[in-house]
Amino acid sequence: MEAKVLRACWKWRNYPPGHEGGGARADAEVLLNAAGRQLLAGMCGVEEDVLARALPSWEEGDTKLRAEDGDPVGLWRIGGAVVGPVAFGCRLCTARRTGAALRAVRYAPRWERVCVRHGRWLLDADANQPLEHLDLRDLPEVVAAQRRWPSVARRAVRAGAEPERVFALGYAVVARWWEQALHWEREAVWPRRLHQIAGGNAGTELERWRIVGRDSVVFPEVVAVADALLDPALAELAWQDSGAGQPRPLPADGAFCRRLGERVGRGWLGPLAATDYGGPLTSWMGAVIRIRRGAGGPPGYGNDPWWLRQEHQPASMAAQLRVLSKERSAPGSGTTWRSAVPAEQRARITSLVNDAEEQLTQLRGAQYGKTADAAQQLLGNLGHAATLIEQAVRETAAAALGAGMALEDLAHWARLPTDVLAEALPDHRKRQPEKSGERVSGGRQGVHGP
């Protein structure tokens, strides 16, 4: 029976959901009222209770279509909003069970994405891209991580933690590393895996493959980090790094992050992980340390080590592909400042702005007393603040340029000539031929160097 003829058996309250750029969504879900479910069960020749066990959304229609009685009624929804993440099924497994290699979609959490039998990573079904799976036959470590995860989940249960929350935290930690890894000169494992996932070479589509392949490439490290965070021995190292009974700032060469780096096969990772302040890993460490000290958490935050802040949750493949599409059509329009600018660069900008603000705050009441004293303080503080602000302008422009913004737009917003701003940005000067007789001037038309 054709799909159009089949759908005509129900009365529909809306239209099938589609992608922003057009095209049907693979993760579209249908909710049916009681009469609609009875009709479908009769067509399939399967008892309703059997379908209820097989289809997680089977009875969801009762809450949405409660007033619809008599006629079979259907309602379209996006699968992820009904039950949870939706992934493609393995076509080879589908063919093995049904005799036809048809496309199938299923509700599948991120820790159940490997088809171990056929060596495939099953991709999210909510993204507007053509692939259903990635080939893992040359990446046995990813398949091995899938086999390992059930034991990690059981360990989480024994520790009194929910496995899905433990996985989510490990996933957030490693996804954050993934974004930083482009600047890690010693990282060799992930590039190799990514090129293999891409069929041998990601080539000119590296940016897209980094989005599509991320979850599969980092999966072994996600499982390893989740397992490590459940280890009481590592929690003890975090406690010792904090000074135990004598509190101190967490060191950049702490034993906890060093051991965690070793657990993921990267002995050099410790200092990089330890100095990634404000991330999910340091939040976990802070909660563990506060629990040992019997101290309360900061306002609005508890001492639950497995609690994941919304801003720490990794962007989905679908969201990143939408951003990439917008970014290619209009640079800067598809990204957010926090995702496009590294944390250390944002911290430098904040520090410069705060220091300039402090210089100006000190001028309150400065226009009293002797003329020479007042002039000295005013000019000294104003000059220092101006230097800090110009440094902040240069740092902000460099960050925006690195995030893909056009130099002409940055110069317009900064109220500077384009060539002056270009000369003030080291990264831009490296890409330009040398120009003789030019210099970066001071005052309102210049951006001073450090």
Side-chain angles (χ1 to χ4, degrees):
M1 185 182 296
E2 294 184 2
K4 186 176 181 180
V5 176
L6 178 64
R7 292 177 186 174
C9 297
W10 288 268
K11 293 182 178 180
W12 298 96
R13 290 291 174 256
N14 59 353
Y15 294 99
H19 290 290
E20 289 182 7
R25 295 182 63 110
D27 65 335
E29 175 66 284
V30 170
L31 305 182
L32 303 174
N33 67 348
R37 296 196 299 272
Q38 185 177 7
L39 174 60
L40 181 60
M43 287 182 170
C44 297
V46 180
E47 297 293 333
E48 285 195 52
D49 60 340
V50 176
L51 291 174
R53 291 194 298 271
L55 303 173
S57 63
W58 181 252
E59 296 181 347
E60 292 290 330
D62 288 342
T63 59
K64 304 292 184 181
L65 300 167
R66 186 170 296 169
E68 306 285 351
D69 294 324
D71 294 330
V73 178
L75 184 70
W76 289 97
R77 284 288 185 266
I78 294 173
V82 177
V83 175
V86 181
F88 289 104
C90 174
R91 286 192 182 233
L92 296 180
C93 290
T94 303
R96 184 168 172 266
R97 294 190 177 191
T98 67
L102 301 175
R103 186 177 77 176
V105 292
R106 57 190 288 264
Y107 289 107
R110 300 196 182 280
W111 56 84
E112 292 181 1
R113 294 300 178 86
V114 177
C115 174
V116 175
R117 179 185 296 273
H118 299 112
R120 290 181 169 186
W121 180 271
L122 306 175
L123 291 167
D124 291 343
D126 62 343
N128 189 9
Q129 59 87 36
L131 298 177
E132 295 182 12
H133 74 273
L134 301 174
D135 192 345
L136 301 177
R137 286 175 295 179
D138 293 328
L139 296 173
E141 65 268 33
V142 180
V143 178
Q146 180 68 81
R147 290 194 173 101
R148 180 186 176 190
W149 167 250
S151 66
V152 177
R154 290 192 294 270
R155 185 176 185 180
V157 172
R158 291 195 299 270
E162 299 174 29
E164 57 270 23
R165 299 183 70 205
V166 174
F167 181 90
L169 183 61
Y171 178 50
V173 169
V174 178
R176 189 176 174 96
W177 290 347
W178 173 257
E179 296 304 320
Q180 300 166 353
L182 282 173
H183 309 289
W184 292 351
E185 295 182 358
R186 300 180 67 178
E187 178 55 51
V189 175
W190 285 344
R192 173 185 60 81
R193 286 185 197 156
L194 184 63
H195 286 301
Q196 288 178 319
I197 284 290
N201 191 343
T204 58
E205 287 293 306
L206 177 63
E207 197 170 7
R208 186 181 73 86
W209 277 111
R210 274 183 54 82
I211 295 172
V212 175
R214 178 194 66 184
D215 289 0
S216 58
V217 169
V218 305
F219 188 66
E221 286 75 20
V222 172
V223 175
V225 168
D227 189 35
L229 297 182
L230 288 166
D231 188 346
L234 262 74
E236 178 64 26
L237 290 179
W239 170 242
Q240 295 299 327
D241 285 344
S242 73
Q246 298 178 334
R248 67 183 181 193
L250 291 170
D253 58 348
F256 168 79
C257 287
R258 184 169 62 251
R259 184 69 58 81
L260 182 61
E262 294 169 355
R263 293 279 286 264
V264 295
R266 294 163 175 81
W268 46 266
L269 181 58
L272 296 174
T275 54
D276 181 24
Y277 305 114
L281 183 60
T282 52
S283 294
W284 180 89
M285 294 172 67
V288 168
I289 293 166
R290 289 193 300 271
I291 290 173
R292 290 288 297 268
R293 288 201 178 120
Y301 302 100
N303 279 343
D304 180 1
W306 308 111
W307 182 65
L308 186 62
R309 303 181 191 178
Q310 184 174 1
E311 61 266 28
H312 290 161
Q313 296 176 8
S316 67
M317 178 176 69
Q320 291 183 87
L321 288 175
R322 288 195 296 269
V323 167
L324 179 62
S325 176
K326 293 178 181 178
E327 188 68 17
R328 286 177 172 175
S329 61
S333 64
T335 59
T336 64
W337 182 258
R338 290 183 64 84
S339 66
V341 179
E344 58 272 17
Q345 201 164 18
R346 298 198 309 268
R348 286 197 297 269
I349 295 170
T350 300
S351 177
L352 289 167
V353 172
N354 289 343
D355 289 347
E357 182 182 14
E358 176 63 24
Q359 290 296 316
L360 297 176
T361 301
Q362 292 176 9
L363 293 180
R364 293 174 182 171
Q367 299 190 65
Y368 292 94
K370 295 181 179 180
T371 302
D373 293 340
Q376 181 180 10
Q377 183 176 1
L378 284 166
L379 292 174
N381 284 51
L382 287 172
H384 192 186
T387 300
L388 292 168
I389 289 172
E390 289 182 341
Q391 290 177 357
V393 169
R394 188 190 66 234
E395 193 72 40
T396 302
L401 187 67
M405 299 299 297
L407 179 67
E408 292 75 12
D409 290 337
L410 303 179
H412 174 70
W413 297 331
R415 300 180 182 179
L416 292 170
T418 303
D419 57 342
V420 171
L421 182 60
E423 284 296 312
L425 299 178
D427 288 343
H428 190 270
R429 287 205 304 268
K430 292 176 183 177
R431 298 194 293 265
Q432 301 297 322
E434 290 291 335
K435 297 180 182 180
S436 60
E438 294 187 5
R439 67 183 181 90
V440 180
S441 61
R444 281 191 56 81
Q445 295 300 314
V447 180
H448 292 307

